[in-house]
Amino acid sequence: MQFSSKYEYTLLALLELTSAYPKGEFLHIRQIAALQNIPSRYLEQILATLRNGGLIKSTRGSKGGYILTRCHTITPAIAKVITAKVLCKVISSIFKAFIL
């Protein structure tokens, strides 16, 4: 199964937000982008879509950033499956690049 880069980046951003949610920690775009190697400009668009959809909320200021609106958006079990699929895709891409 092939994921588009937008879908993959969205899942990775949600995984980061999910890991920060129990601590009540807001994440900045720069943090998410650096942790998941996502282009910041592209991540801005993705987070705006998620915010408009009500999955995340944002707060301005030095203590601001993005946070999930509810914890059940991604459960740990779903996160493991998503992570495994994303890793499989990445490994598959690397493998194909070296063979071709």
Coordinates of all heavy atoms in Angstrom, one line a residue:
M1 N 0.8 -1.2 0.0 CA 0.0 0.0 0.0 C 0.9 1.2 0.0 O 1.8 1.4 0.8 CB -0.9 0.0 1.2 CG -1.6 1.3 1.4 SD -2.5 1.3 3.0 CE -4.0 0.6 2.5
Q2 N 0.7 2.1 -0.9 CA 1.4 3.4 -1.0 C 0.6 4.5 -0.4 O -0.5 4.7 -0.7 CB 1.7 3.7 -2.5 CG 2.7 2.7 -3.2 CD 4.1 2.9 -2.6 OE1 4.5 3.9 -2.1 NE2 4.9 1.9 -2.8
F3 N 1.3 5.3 0.4 CA 0.7 6.5 1.0 C 1.3 7.7 0.3 O 2.4 7.7 -0.1 CB 1.1 6.7 2.5 CG 0.6 5.6 3.4 CD1 1.4 4.9 4.2 CD2 -0.8 5.4 3.5 CE1 1.0 3.9 5.1 CE2 -1.3 4.4 4.4 CZ -0.4 3.7 5.2
S4 N 0.4 8.7 0.1 CA 0.9 10.0 -0.4 C 1.8 10.6 0.6 O 1.6 10.3 1.8 CB -0.3 10.9 -0.8 OG -0.9 11.3 0.3
S5 N 2.6 11.6 0.2 CA 3.5 12.2 1.2 C 2.6 13.1 2.2 O 2.9 13.1 3.4 CB 4.5 13.1 0.5 OG 3.9 14.1 -0.2
K6 N 1.6 13.6 1.7 CA 0.7 14.4 2.6 C 0.1 13.6 3.6 O 0.0 13.9 4.8 CB -0.4 15.1 1.8 CG -1.2 16.1 2.6 CD -2.2 16.9 1.7 CE -2.9 17.9 2.5 NZ -3.8 18.8 1.7
Y7 N -0.4 12.4 3.2 CA -1.0 11.4 4.2 C 0.0 11.0 5.2 O -0.2 10.9 6.4 CB -1.6 10.3 3.4 CG -2.3 9.2 4.3 CD1 -3.5 9.5 4.9 CD2 -1.7 8.0 4.5 CE1 -4.1 8.6 5.7 CE2 -2.4 7.0 5.3 CZ -3.6 7.3 5.9 OH -4.2 6.4 6.6
E8 N 1.2 10.6 4.7 CA 2.3 10.2 5.6 C 2.7 11.3 6.6 O 2.8 11.0 7.8 CB 3.5 9.8 4.8 CG 4.6 9.2 5.6 CD 5.8 8.8 4.7 OE1 5.7 8.6 3.5 OE2 6.9 8.6 5.3
Y9 N 2.9 12.5 6.1 CA 3.2 13.6 7.0 C 2.1 13.9 8.0 O 2.4 14.3 9.2 CB 3.5 14.9 6.2 CG 4.8 14.8 5.4 CD1 5.0 15.6 4.2 CD2 5.9 14.0 5.7 CE1 6.1 15.5 3.5 CE2 7.0 13.9 5.0 CZ 7.2 14.7 3.9 OH 8.3 14.7 3.2
T10 N 0.9 13.8 7.6 CA -0.2 14.0 8.5 C -0.2 13.0 9.6 O -0.4 13.3 10.8 CB -1.6 13.9 7.8 OG1 -1.6 14.9 6.7 CG2 -2.8 14.2 8.7
L11 N 0.0 11.7 9.3 CA 0.1 10.7 10.3 C 1.2 10.9 11.3 O 1.1 10.7 12.5 CB 0.2 9.3 9.6 CG -1.0 8.8 8.8 CD1 -0.7 7.5 8.1 CD2 -2.2 8.6 9.8
L12 N 2.4 11.3 10.7 CA 3.5 11.5 11.6 C 3.3 12.7 12.5 O 3.7 12.6 13.7 CB 4.8 11.7 10.7 CG 5.3 10.5 9.9 CD1 6.4 10.9 8.9 CD2 5.7 9.4 10.8
A13 N 2.7 13.7 12.0 CA 2.4 14.9 12.9 C 1.4 14.5 14.0 O 1.6 14.9 15.1 CB 1.8 16.0 12.0
L14 N 0.4 13.7 13.6 CA -0.6 13.3 14.6 C 0.1 12.4 15.6 O -0.3 12.4 16.8 CB -1.7 12.6 13.9 CG -2.8 13.5 13.2 CD1 -3.7 12.6 12.4 CD2 -3.5 14.3 14.3
L15 N 1.0 11.6 15.2 CA 1.8 10.7 16.2 C 2.5 11.6 17.2 O 2.5 11.3 18.4 CB 2.7 9.8 15.5 CG 2.1 8.6 14.7 CD1 3.1 7.9 13.9 CD2 1.4 7.7 15.7
E16 N 3.2 12.6 16.7 CA 3.9 13.5 17.6 C 2.9 14.2 18.6 O 3.2 14.3 19.8 CB 4.7 14.6 16.9 CG 6.0 14.1 16.3 CD 6.9 13.5 17.3 OE1 7.0 14.0 18.4 OE2 7.6 12.5 16.9
L17 N 1.8 14.7 18.1 CA 0.8 15.4 18.9 C 0.2 14.4 19.9 O -0.1 14.8 21.0 CB -0.2 16.0 18.0 CG 0.2 17.2 17.2 CD1 -0.8 17.6 16.1 CD2 0.5 18.4 18.1
T18 N 0.1 13.1 19.5 CA -0.5 12.1 20.4 C 0.5 11.8 21.6 O 0.1 11.7 22.7 CB -0.8 10.8 19.6 OG1 -1.7 11.1 18.6 CG2 -1.3 9.8 20.5
S19 N 1.8 11.8 21.3 CA 2.7 11.5 22.3 C 2.8 12.7 23.3 O 3.1 12.5 24.5 CB 4.1 11.2 21.7 OG 4.6 12.3 21.1
A20 N 2.6 13.9 22.9 CA 2.6 15.1 23.8 C 1.3 15.3 24.5 O 1.3 16.0 25.5 CB 3.0 16.3 22.9
Y21 N 0.2 14.7 24.1 CA -1.1 15.0 24.7 C -1.2 14.6 26.1 O -1.7 15.4 26.9 CB -2.2 14.3 23.9 CG -3.6 14.6 24.4 CD1 -4.2 15.7 23.9 CD2 -4.2 13.8 25.3 CE1 -5.5 16.0 24.4 CE2 -5.5 14.1 25.7 CZ -6.1 15.2 25.3 OH -7.4 15.5 25.7
P22 N -0.7 13.5 26.6 CA -0.9 13.1 28.0 C -0.2 14.1 29.0 O -0.7 14.3 30.1 CB -0.2 11.8 28.2 CG -0.3 11.2 26.8 CD -0.1 12.4 25.9
K23 N 0.8 14.8 28.5 CA 1.5 15.8 29.3 C 0.9 17.2 29.2 O 1.3 18.1 29.9 CB 3.0 15.9 28.9 CG 3.8 14.6 29.0 CD 5.2 14.7 28.4 CE 5.3 13.7 27.3 NZ 6.4 14.0 26.4
G24 N -0.1 17.3 28.3 CA -0.7 18.6 28.1 C 0.2 19.6 27.4 O 0.1 20.8 27.5
E25 N 1.2 19.0 26.7 CA 2.2 19.8 26.1 C 1.8 20.3 24.7 O 1.4 19.5 23.8 CB 3.5 19.0 26.0 CG 4.7 19.6 25.4 CD 5.9 18.7 25.4 OE1 5.9 17.7 26.1 OE2 6.8 18.9 24.6
F26 N 1.9 21.6 24.4 CA 1.7 22.2 23.1 C 3.0 22.0 22.3 O 4.1 22.3 22.9 CB 1.3 23.6 23.2 CG -0.1 23.9 23.6 CD1 -0.5 23.8 24.9 CD2 -1.1 24.2 22.6 CE1 -1.8 24.0 25.3 CE2 -2.4 24.4 23.0 CZ -2.8 24.3 24.3
L27 N 2.9 21.6 21.1 CA 4.1 21.5 20.2 C 4.1 22.6 19.1 O 3.1 22.9 18.5 CB 4.1 20.1 19.5 CG 4.3 18.9 20.4 CD1 4.3 17.6 19.6 CD2 5.6 19.0 21.2
H28 N 5.3 23.2 18.9 CA 5.4 24.2 17.9 C 5.7 23.5 16.5 O 6.1 22.3 16.5 CB 6.6 25.1 18.1 CG 6.5 26.0 19.3 ND1 5.8 27.1 19.3 CD2 6.9 25.8 20.6 CE1 5.8 27.7 20.5 NE2 6.4 26.9 21.3
I29 N 5.4 24.1 15.5 CA 5.6 23.6 14.1 C 7.1 23.2 14.0 O 7.3 22.1 13.4 CB 5.2 24.6 13.0 CG1 3.7 24.7 13.0 CG2 5.7 24.2 11.7 CD1 3.2 25.7 12.0
R30 N 8.0 24.0 14.4 CA 9.4 23.7 14.3 C 9.8 22.4 15.0 O 10.6 21.6 14.5 CB 10.3 24.8 14.9 CG 10.3 26.0 14.0 CD 11.1 27.2 14.6 NE 10.1 27.9 15.4 CZ 10.3 28.1 16.8 NH1 11.3 27.6 17.4 NH2 9.4 28.8 17.4
Q31 N 9.2 22.1 16.2 CA 9.4 20.9 16.9 C 9.0 19.7 16.1 O 9.7 18.7 15.9 CB 8.7 20.9 18.2 CG 9.3 21.8 19.3 CD 8.4 21.8 20.5 OE1 7.3 22.3 20.5 NE2 8.9 21.2 21.6
I32 N 7.7 19.7 15.7 CA 7.2 18.6 14.9 C 8.0 18.4 13.6 O 8.3 17.2 13.3 CB 5.7 18.8 14.6 CG1 4.9 19.0 15.9 CG2 5.1 17.7 13.8 CD1 3.4 19.5 15.7
A33 N 8.3 19.4 12.9 CA 9.0 19.3 11.7 C 10.4 18.7 11.9 O 10.8 17.8 11.1 CB 9.1 20.7 11.0
A34 N 11.1 19.1 13.0 CA 12.4 18.6 13.2 C 12.3 17.1 13.7 O 13.1 16.3 13.2 CB 13.1 19.4 14.3
L35 N 11.4 16.8 14.5 CA 11.3 15.4 15.0 C 10.9 14.4 13.9 O 11.3 13.3 14.0 CB 10.2 15.4 16.2 CG 10.6 16.0 17.5 CD1 9.4 16.2 18.4 CD2 11.8 15.3 18.1
Q36 N 10.1 14.9 13.0 CA 9.6 13.9 12.0 C 10.2 14.2 10.6 O 9.7 13.6 9.6 CB 8.1 13.9 11.9 CG 7.4 13.4 13.2 CD 7.8 11.9 13.3 OE1 8.1 11.2 12.4 NE2 7.7 11.4 14.6
N37 N 11.1 15.2 10.5 CA 11.7 15.5 9.2 C 10.6 15.9 8.1 O 10.6 15.3 7.0 CB 12.6 14.4 8.7 CG 13.5 14.8 7.6 OD1 13.9 16.0 7.6 ND2 14.0 13.9 6.8
I38 N 9.7 16.8 8.5 CA 8.7 17.3 7.6 C 9.0 18.7 7.3 O 9.3 19.5 8.2 CB 7.3 17.2 8.3 CG1 7.0 15.8 8.8 CG2 6.2 17.7 7.4 CD1 5.7 15.7 9.7
P39 N 8.9 19.1 6.0 CA 9.1 20.5 5.6 C 8.1 21.4 6.4 O 6.9 21.2 6.4 CB 8.8 20.6 4.1 CG 9.0 19.2 3.7 CD 8.6 18.3 4.8
S40 N 8.6 22.5 7.0 CA 7.8 23.4 7.9 C 6.6 24.0 7.1 O 5.5 24.0 7.6 CB 8.6 24.5 8.5 OG 9.6 23.9 9.3
R41 N 6.8 24.5 5.9 CA 5.7 25.1 5.1 C 4.6 24.1 4.8 O 3.5 24.4 4.9 CB 6.3 25.6 3.8 CG 7.3 26.7 4.0 CD 6.6 28.1 4.0 NE 7.6 29.1 4.0 CZ 7.3 30.3 4.4 NH1 6.1 30.6 4.9 NH2 8.2 31.2 4.4
Y42 N 5.0 22.9 4.5 CA 4.0 21.9 4.2 C 3.3 21.5 5.5 O 2.1 21.3 5.5 CB 4.7 20.6 3.6 CG 3.9 19.7 2.8 CD1 2.8 20.1 2.1 CD2 4.2 18.3 2.8 CE1 2.0 19.3 1.4 CE2 3.4 17.5 2.0 CZ 2.3 17.9 1.3 OH 1.6 17.1 0.6
L43 N 4.0 21.4 6.6 CA 3.4 21.1 7.9 C 2.4 22.1 8.3 O 1.3 21.8 8.9 CB 4.4 20.9 8.9 CG 4.0 20.5 10.3 CD1 3.2 19.1 10.2 CD2 5.2 20.3 11.3
E44 N 2.6 23.4 8.0 CA 1.7 24.5 8.3 C 0.4 24.2 7.6 O -0.7 24.4 8.2 CB 2.3 25.8 7.8 CG 3.4 26.4 8.7 CD 4.0 27.6 8.1 OE1 3.3 28.3 7.3 OE2 5.1 28.0 8.4
Q45 N 0.4 23.8 6.4 CA -0.8 23.6 5.6 C -1.6 22.4 6.2 O -2.8 22.4 6.4 CB -0.5 23.3 4.2 CG 0.1 24.4 3.4 CD 0.6 24.1 2.1 OE1 0.4 22.9 1.6 NE2 1.3 25.0 1.4
I46 N -0.8 21.3 6.6 CA -1.5 20.1 7.1 C -2.1 20.4 8.5 O -3.3 20.1 8.7 CB -0.4 19.0 7.3 CG1 0.0 18.5 5.9 CG2 -0.9 17.9 8.2 CD1 1.3 17.6 5.9
L47 N -1.4 21.2 9.3 CA -1.9 21.5 10.7 C -3.1 22.4 10.6 O -4.1 22.3 11.3 CB -0.8 22.1 11.6 CG 0.3 21.2 11.9 CD1 1.3 21.9 12.8 CD2 -0.2 20.0 12.7
A48 N -3.2 23.3 9.6 CA -4.3 24.2 9.3 C -5.5 23.4 9.0 O -6.7 23.6 9.5 CB -4.0 25.2 8.3
T49 N -5.3 22.3 8.2 CA -6.4 21.4 7.8 C -7.0 20.7 9.0 O -8.2 20.6 9.2 CB -6.0 20.5 6.7 OG1 -5.5 21.2 5.5 CG2 -7.1 19.5 6.3
L50 N -6.0 20.2 9.8 CA -6.4 19.4 11.0 C -7.1 20.3 12.0 O -8.1 19.9 12.7 CB -5.2 18.8 11.7 CG -4.5 17.7 10.9 CD1 -3.2 17.2 11.6 CD2 -5.4 16.5 10.7
R51 N -6.7 21.6 12.1 CA -7.3 22.5 13.0 C -8.7 22.9 12.5 O -9.7 22.9 13.3 CB -6.5 23.8 13.1 CG -7.0 24.8 14.2 CD -6.2 26.1 14.2 NE -6.4 26.8 13.0 CZ -5.4 27.1 12.2 NH1 -4.2 26.7 12.4 NH2 -5.6 27.8 11.1
N52 N -8.9 23.1 11.2 CA -10.2 23.4 10.7 C -11.2 22.2 10.8 O -12.4 22.4 10.9 CB -10.1 23.8 9.2 CG -9.4 25.1 9.0 OD1 -9.4 26.0 9.9 ND2 -8.8 25.4 7.9
G53 N -10.6 21.0 10.8 CA -11.4 19.8 11.0 C -11.7 19.5 12.5 O -12.5 18.5 12.7
G54 N -11.2 20.3 13.4 CA -11.5 20.1 14.8 C -10.6 19.0 15.5 O -10.9 18.7 16.6
L55 N -9.6 18.4 14.8 CA -8.8 17.4 15.4 C -7.7 18.0 16.4 O -7.3 17.3 17.3 CB -8.1 16.5 14.4 CG -9.1 15.7 13.5 CD1 -8.3 15.0 12.4 CD2 -9.7 14.6 14.4
I56 N -7.3 19.2 16.1 CA -6.3 19.8 16.9 C -6.7 21.3 17.2 O -7.6 21.8 16.5 CB -4.9 19.8 16.3 CG1 -4.9 20.6 15.0 CG2 -4.4 18.4 16.0 CD1 -3.5 20.8 14.4
K57 N -6.1 21.9 18.2 CA -6.3 23.3 18.4 C -5.0 24.0 18.5 O -4.0 23.3 18.8 CB -7.2 23.5 19.6 CG -6.6 23.1 20.9 CD -7.5 23.4 22.1 CE -6.9 23.0 23.4 NZ -7.7 23.4 24.5
S58 N -5.0 25.3 18.3 CA -3.7 26.0 18.4 C -3.9 27.2 19.3 O -4.9 27.7 19.6 CB -3.3 26.5 17.0 OG -4.3 27.4 16.5
T59 N -2.7 27.5 19.9 CA -2.6 28.7 20.8 C -1.4 29.5 20.4 O -0.4 28.9 20.2 CB -2.5 28.2 22.3 OG1 -3.6 27.4 22.6 CG2 -2.5 29.4 23.2
R60 N -1.5 30.8 20.4 CA -0.4 31.7 20.1 C 0.4 31.9 21.3 O 0.0 31.8 22.4 CB -0.9 33.0 19.5 CG -1.6 32.8 18.2 CD -2.0 34.1 17.7 NE -2.7 34.0 16.4 CZ -2.9 34.9 15.5 NH1 -2.5 36.1 15.8 NH2 -3.5 34.7 14.4
G61 N 1.7 32.4 21.1 CA 2.5 32.8 22.1 C 3.7 31.8 22.4 O 3.8 30.8 21.8
S62 N 4.5 32.2 23.3 CA 5.7 31.4 23.6 C 5.4 30.1 24.2 O 6.1 29.1 24.0 CB 6.7 32.1 24.5 OG 6.0 32.4 25.7
K63 N 4.3 30.0 24.9 CA 3.8 28.7 25.5 C 2.8 28.0 24.6 O 2.2 27.0 25.0 CB 3.2 28.9 26.9 CG 4.1 29.6 27.9 CD 4.8 28.6 28.7 CE 5.6 29.3 29.7 NZ 6.4 28.5 30.5
G64 N 2.6 28.6 23.4 CA 1.6 28.1 22.5 C 2.1 27.0 21.6 O 3.1 26.5 21.8
G65 N 1.3 26.7 20.6 CA 1.6 25.6 19.7 C 0.3 24.9 19.3 O -0.8 25.4 19.3
Y66 N 0.5 23.6 19.1 CA -0.6 22.7 18.7 C -0.8 21.6 19.6 O 0.2 21.1 20.2 CB -0.4 22.2 17.3 CG -0.4 23.2 16.2 CD1 0.7 24.0 15.9 CD2 -1.6 23.5 15.5 CE1 0.7 25.0 14.9 CE2 -1.6 24.5 14.6 CZ -0.5 25.2 14.3 OH -0.5 26.2 13.3
I67 N -2.0 21.2 19.9 CA -2.4 20.1 20.7 C -3.6 19.4 20.2 O -4.4 20.0 19.6 CB -2.5 20.5 22.2 CG1 -2.5 19.4 23.2 CG2 -3.8 21.4 22.4 CD1 -2.4 19.8 24.6
L68 N -3.7 18.1 20.5 CA -5.0 17.4 20.1 C -6.1 17.9 20.9 O -6.0 18.3 22.0 CB -4.8 15.9 20.4 CG -3.8 15.1 19.5 CD1 -3.8 13.7 20.0 CD2 -4.2 15.1 18.1
T69 N -7.3 17.9 20.3 CA -8.5 18.3 21.0 C -9.1 17.2 21.8 O -9.7 17.5 22.8 CB -9.6 18.8 20.0 OG1 -9.9 17.7 19.1 CG2 -9.2 20.0 19.3
R70 N -8.8 16.0 21.5 CA -9.2 14.8 22.3 C -8.2 13.7 22.2 O -7.6 13.5 21.1 CB -10.6 14.3 21.9 CG -11.0 14.4 20.5 CD -12.4 14.0 20.2 NE -13.3 14.9 19.6 CZ -13.1 15.5 18.4 NH1 -12.1 15.2 17.7 NH2 -14.0 16.3 17.9
C71 N -8.1 13.0 23.2 CA -7.0 11.9 23.3 C -7.3 10.8 22.4 O -6.4 10.1 21.9 CB -6.9 11.5 24.7 SG -5.5 10.3 24.9
H72 N -8.6 10.5 22.1 CA -8.9 9.2 21.4 C -8.8 9.4 19.9 O -9.2 8.5 19.2 CB -10.4 8.8 21.7 CG -11.4 9.8 21.3 ND1 -11.8 10.8 22.1 CD2 -12.1 9.9 20.2 CE1 -12.7 11.5 21.5 NE2 -12.9 11.0 20.3
T73 N -8.2 10.5 19.4 CA -8.0 10.7 18.0 C -7.1 9.5 17.4 O -7.4 8.9 16.4 CB -7.3 12.0 17.7 OG1 -8.1 13.0 18.3 CG2 -7.1 12.2 16.2
I74 N -6.0 9.2 18.1 CA -5.2 8.0 17.7 C -4.9 7.3 19.0 O -4.3 7.8 19.9 CB -3.9 8.5 17.0 CG1 -4.2 9.2 15.8 CG2 -3.0 7.3 16.8 CD1 -2.9 9.6 15.0
T75 N -5.3 6.0 19.1 CA -5.0 5.2 20.3 C -3.6 4.7 20.1 O -3.0 4.6 19.0 CB -6.0 4.1 20.4 OG1 -5.8 3.2 19.3 CG2 -7.4 4.6 20.5
P76 N -2.9 4.2 21.2 CA -1.6 3.6 21.1 C -1.5 2.5 20.1 O -0.6 2.3 19.4 CB -1.3 3.2 22.5 CG -2.1 4.2 23.3 CD -3.3 4.4 22.6
A77 N -2.6 1.6 20.1 CA -2.6 0.5 19.2 C -2.6 0.9 17.7 O -1.9 0.4 16.9 CB -3.8 -0.4 19.5
I78 N -3.4 1.9 17.4 CA -3.5 2.4 16.1 C -2.2 3.1 15.7 O -1.7 2.9 14.6 CB -4.7 3.4 15.9 CG1 -6.0 2.7 16.0 CG2 -4.6 4.2 14.6 CD1 -7.2 3.6 16.1
A79 N -1.6 3.8 16.7 CA -0.3 4.5 16.4 C 0.8 3.5 16.0 O 1.6 3.7 15.1 CB 0.1 5.3 17.6
K80 N 0.8 2.3 16.7 CA 1.8 1.3 16.4 C 1.6 0.7 15.0 O 2.5 0.5 14.2 CB 1.7 0.1 17.4 CG 2.3 0.5 18.7 CD 2.1 -0.7 19.7 CE 2.6 -0.3 21.1 NZ 2.4 -1.3 22.1
V81 N 0.3 0.5 14.6 CA 0.0 0.0 13.2 C 0.5 1.1 12.2 O 1.1 0.7 11.2 CB -1.5 -0.3 13.1 CG1 -1.8 -0.6 11.6 CG2 -1.8 -1.5 14.0
I82 N 0.1 2.3 12.4 CA 0.5 3.4 11.5 C 2.0 3.5 11.4 O 2.5 3.6 10.3 CB -0.2 4.7 11.9 CG1 -1.7 4.7 11.8 CG2 0.4 5.9 11.1 CD1 -2.4 5.8 12.4
T83 N 2.7 3.5 12.5 CA 4.1 3.6 12.5 C 4.7 2.4 11.7 O 5.6 2.6 10.9 CB 4.7 3.6 13.9 OG1 4.1 4.7 14.6 CG2 6.2 3.8 14.0
A84 N 4.2 1.2 11.9 CA 4.7 0.1 11.2 C 4.5 0.2 9.7 O 5.4 -0.1 8.9 CB 4.0 -1.2 11.7
K85 N 3.3 0.7 9.3 CA 3.1 0.9 7.9 C 4.0 1.9 7.3 O 4.5 1.8 6.1 CB 1.6 1.2 7.6 CG 0.7 0.0 7.9 CD -0.7 0.3 7.5 CE -1.6 -0.9 7.6 NZ -2.9 -0.8 7.2
V86 N 4.1 3.0 8.0 CA 5.0 4.1 7.5 C 6.4 3.6 7.4 O 7.1 3.9 6.4 CB 4.9 5.4 8.4 CG1 5.9 6.4 8.0 CG2 3.5 6.0 8.3
L87 N 6.9 2.9 8.4 CA 8.3 2.4 8.3 C 8.4 1.4 7.2 O 9.4 1.4 6.5 CB 8.6 1.7 9.6 CG 8.9 2.6 10.8 CD1 9.1 1.8 12.1 CD2 10.1 3.5 10.5
C88 N 7.4 0.6 6.9 CA 7.5 -0.4 5.8 C 7.6 0.4 4.5 O 8.3 0.0 3.6 CB 6.2 -1.3 5.8 SG 6.3 -2.6 7.0
K89 N 6.8 1.5 4.4 CA 6.9 2.2 3.1 C 8.3 2.8 2.9 O 8.8 2.8 1.9 CB 5.8 3.4 3.2 CG 5.9 4.2 1.9 CD 5.0 5.4 2.0 CE 5.2 6.2 0.8 NZ 5.1 7.6 0.9
V90 N 8.8 3.4 4.0 CA 10.1 4.0 3.9 C 11.2 2.9 3.6 O 12.0 3.2 2.7 CB 10.5 4.7 5.2 CG1 12.0 5.1 5.3 CG2 9.6 5.9 5.5
I91 N 11.2 1.8 4.2 CA 12.1 0.7 4.0 C 12.0 0.2 2.5 O 13.0 0.0 1.8 CB 12.0 -0.4 5.0 CG1 12.4 0.1 6.3 CG2 12.7 -1.6 4.5 CD1 12.1 -0.9 7.5
S92 N 10.7 0.1 2.1 CA 10.5 -0.3 0.7 C 11.0 0.6 -0.3 O 11.6 0.3 -1.3 CB 9.0 -0.5 0.5 OG 8.7 -0.8 -0.8
S93 N 10.8 1.9 0.0 CA 11.4 3.0 -1.0 C 12.9 2.9 -1.0 O 13.4 3.1 -2.1 CB 10.9 4.4 -0.5 OG 9.5 4.4 -0.5
I94 N 13.5 2.8 0.1 CA 15.0 2.7 0.1 C 15.5 1.5 -0.6 O 16.4 1.5 -1.4 CB 15.5 2.7 1.6 CG1 15.2 4.0 2.3 CG2 17.0 2.4 1.7 CD1 15.4 4.1 3.7
F95 N 14.8 0.4 -0.4 CA 15.1 -0.9 -1.0 C 15.0 -0.8 -2.6 O 15.9 -1.1 -3.3 CB 14.3 -2.0 -0.5 CG 14.6 -3.4 -1.0 CD1 15.8 -4.0 -0.6 CD2 13.8 -4.0 -1.9 CE1 16.1 -5.3 -1.1 CE2 14.1 -5.3 -2.4 CZ 15.3 -5.9 -2.0
K96 N 13.9 -0.2 -3.0 CA 13.7 0.0 -4.5 C 14.7 0.9 -5.1 O 15.2 0.7 -6.2 CB 12.3 0.6 -4.7 CG 11.2 -0.4 -4.5 CD 9.8 0.2 -4.7 CE 8.7 -0.8 -4.4 NZ 7.4 -0.2 -4.5
A97 N 15.1 2.0 -4.3 CA 16.1 2.9 -4.8 C 17.4 2.3 -5.1 O 18.1 2.6 -6.0 CB 16.2 4.1 -3.8
F98 N 17.8 1.3 -4.2 CA 19.1 0.7 -4.3 C 19.1 -0.4 -5.4 O 20.1 -0.7 -6.0 CB 19.6 0.1 -3.0 CG 20.2 1.1 -2.1 CD1 19.5 1.6 -1.0 CD2 21.4 1.7 -2.4 CE1 20.0 2.5 -0.2 CE2 21.9 2.7 -1.5 CZ 21.2 3.1 -0.4
I99 N 17.9 -1.0 -5.6 CA 17.8 -2.1 -6.6 C 17.7 -1.5 -8.0 O 18.3 -2.0 -9.0 CB 16.6 -3.0 -6.3 CG1 17.0 -3.9 -5.1 CG2 16.3 -3.9 -7.5 CD1 15.9 -4.8 -4.6
L100 N 16.9 -0.4 -8.1 CA 16.7 0.2 -9.5 C 17.8 1.1 -9.7 O 18.5 1.3 -10.5 CB 15.4 0.9 -9.5 CG 14.2 0.0 -9.2 CD1 13.0 0.9 -9.1 CD2 14.0 -1.0 -10.3

